[in-house]
DNA sequence: CCAGTTCCTACTTGTTGACTATGAATTGAA
DNA sequence: TTCAATTCATAGTCAACAAGTAGGAACTGG
């Protein structure tokens, strides 16, 4: 499960992307997206340290995306807030860690399955950008069936 | 991330599947798979309540699979021990729950992405069975590239 | 009746997620 | 130069949960 923190981070970045251009204050985003202001402040600090957003302080300060929205992937954000995408540390590429009680990693049947899951998940999340997400939003969704979002689902 | 509990449950079921036939005791599985005995006991109880295994007590008691190994999927086990596969409750099919702060679920860009992730994940995990996993294990892995496990990976 | 097993309830212990509080540092406007 | 609005940093709280442990009751074949 994605943490609340991760969900908030994504919502905030989407919000920034939708109102591109001038800096946007934490308080504005917070009320927009129904996020506790102080908590969001901490999250935005993380995003800044990770160089996903830029900040300016003082009078009309706030945050904006540090790069174009089509260069920020879901995968990057989620790895930042929630750590590995993989279901097991030993199946993670970015956060690899051996299981302490694992006898023979190469022969581990569980690991093999989890690795294929991780492949599919990161395939989607590292391909899908913030820009993609806002592109197929509310109204647009019905008209076009673009490539990135695979299943219409419900 | 999968919980330790979930990993143990999978290991235990694989162990049962490999030694099919007569009942196998918790203590045996525990030493085989490096799992704390008492903890495994609790896990096995859960698996029994979920009707994944059968138990007999007393003298030469123990556990065996309640069904053929090719009718037990990773998905079922993981949902039992770890809850939803989906990254968000609102993107789960089996454990659906609305996000409390969600304004318009149908228009939610994040949900759409997470739903497609969930589709891929459950596609794999609900298709892959315990039998599949032991089929492509140690030696077998090199010779045949069967269908279920997609990526060799590393 | 007994030894070996499962089964059940409760407890402990450490970690973490989700905030909250307080205030310092910065910066444009008045 | 002062002021108000912002970001930034550190620390603290609180509840929930994961990962075990403890102790013993219930059952069952020998």
């Amino acid at each position: 499960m994605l943490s609340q923190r991760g969900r908030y981070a994504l919502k905030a970045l989407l919000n920034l992307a939708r109102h591109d251009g001038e800096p946007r204050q934490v308080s504005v985003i917070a009320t927009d997206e129904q996020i506790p202001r102080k908590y969001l402040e901490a999250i935005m600090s993380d995003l800044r340290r990770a160089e996903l957003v830029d900040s300016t302080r003082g009078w009309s300060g706030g945050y904006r995306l540090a790069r174009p929205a089509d260069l920020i992937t879901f995968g990057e954000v989620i790895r930042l807030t929630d750590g590995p995408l993989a279901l097991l540390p030993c199946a993670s590429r970015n956060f690899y860690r051996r299981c302490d009680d694992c006898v023979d990693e190469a022969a581990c049947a569980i690991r093999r399955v989890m690795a294929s899951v991780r492949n599919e998940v990161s395939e989607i999340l590292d391909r899908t950008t913030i820009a993609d997400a806002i592109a197929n939003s509310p109204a647009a969704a019905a008209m076009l069936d673009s490539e990135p979002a695979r299943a219409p689902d419900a």
Side-chain angles (χ1 to χ4, degrees), chain A:
Chain A
M1 278 275 170
L2 188 67
S3 67
Q4 190 78 317
R5 195 183 190 85
R7 206 169 131 262
Y8 287 163
L10 286 172
K11 290 183 97 176
L13 290 171
L14 287 168
N15 188 288
L16 286 184
R18 269 191 289 264
H19 306 84
D20 213 357
E22 41 251 57
R24 202 163 171 75
Q25 299 87 1
V26 165
S27 58
V28 174
I29 305 174
T31 55
D32 263 22
E33 306 288 348
Q34 311 256 51
I35 305 174
R37 192 185 126 244
K38 265 306 195 183
Y39 194 36
L40 181 56
E41 240 178 66
I43 295 171
M44 296 309 289
S45 264
D46 286 349
L47 296 180
R48 182 186 51 85
R49 268 185 290 269
E51 303 192 315
L52 287 171
V53 299
D54 283 335
S55 65
T56 61
R57 334 202 222 188
W59 176 68
S60 81
Y63 289 93
R64 40 194 151 37
L65 297 184
R67 325 169 205 154
D70 62 350
L71 292 181
I72 302 180
T73 67
F74 274 59
E76 185 175 3
V77 178
I78 293 178
R79 284 200 190 84
L80 176 67
T81 57
D82 287 67
L85 301 182
L87 287 173
L88 291 179
C90 69
S92 170
R93 202 164 10 208
N94 296 266
F95 295 83
Y96 171 82
R97 242 197 56 228
R98 190 187 169 82
C99 303
D100 4 335
D101 64 323
C102 184
V103 189
D104 181 1
E105 191 170 85
C108 178
I110 300 177
R111 179 166 183 265
R112 206 168 301 121
V113 176
M114 296 310 167
S116 80
V117 170
R118 184 259 295 151
N119 281 341
E120 288 299 321
V121 171
S122 68
E123 158 66 20
I124 296 180
L125 293 179
D126 289 335
R127 172 167 44 83
T128 307
T129 67
I130 299 295
D132 291 332
I134 60 180
N136 350 341
S137 50
M143 327 196 166
L144 39 88
D145 61 334
S146 72
E147 179 254 351
R150 203 166 277 180
D153 191 66

